[in-house]
Amino acid sequence: MDFAQEQAGDVIIVKLSGRLDSSTAPPAEESFTRLLASGPLHLAIDMSGLEYISSAGLRVLLVVAKKLQQAKGKVVLFGLVHNVREVFQISGFDRIFTIQPDVAAAVAAVH
């Protein structure tokens, strides 16, 4: 799994690609933890390159969302491919997270 980030004003865009599963979840969580250490953040997570997510991957995103909520930050997901969106719908995570279709909508929703 690849973890890349870029800045768009006061929003950090994190691009995930590959598979977020039990083998890639620990390094992904470490990357998010380092990112969140800088304080309250507005985070938009680009999932357009994520081809698979397991329950371990969902857990990582949930941990990130809870940490941001406690720090008065916010996270928005965008660009979910069909099978990843299906996992979110089946698990009910589509009701937990704000999900937008593209980066512009995600950046607007994070504020």
Side-chain angles (χ1 to χ4, degrees):
M1 193 203 69
D2 291 325
F3 184 102
Q5 67 185 62
E6 63 183 63
Q7 194 82 27
D10 65 342
V11 178
I12 295 176
I13 299 169
V14 173
K15 182 169 181 61
L16 301 178
S17 56
R19 297 172 60 88
L20 186 51
D21 55 24
S22 59
S23 64
T24 59
E29 189 168 352
E30 288 174 23
S31 296
F32 275 116
T33 299
R34 280 194 302 276
L35 181 63
L36 299 178
S38 62
L41 297 172
H42 296 299
L43 200 59
I45 302 178
D46 180 356
M47 300 178 68
S48 60
L50 196 66
E51 56 198 44
Y52 175 80
I53 190 166
S54 71
S55 59
L58 291 173
R59 184 194 149 288
V60 169
L61 295 177
L62 191 58
V63 166
V64 168
K66 285 185 178 187
K67 285 181 180 178
L68 278 170
Q69 186 179 31
Q70 291 170 350
K72 307 293 185 227
K74 188 167 182 185
V75 62
V76 175
L77 310 178
F78 71 97
L80 280 70
V81 296
H82 176 74
N83 58 324
V84 171
R85 180 174 287 281
E86 211 169 67
V87 170
F88 272 75
Q89 290 170 335
I90 290 168
S91 65
F93 273 53
D94 60 336
R95 293 185 299 276
I96 296 171
F97 287 92
T98 302
I99 300 173
Q100 296 295 331
D102 57 38
V103 66
V107 168
V110 105
H111 289 109

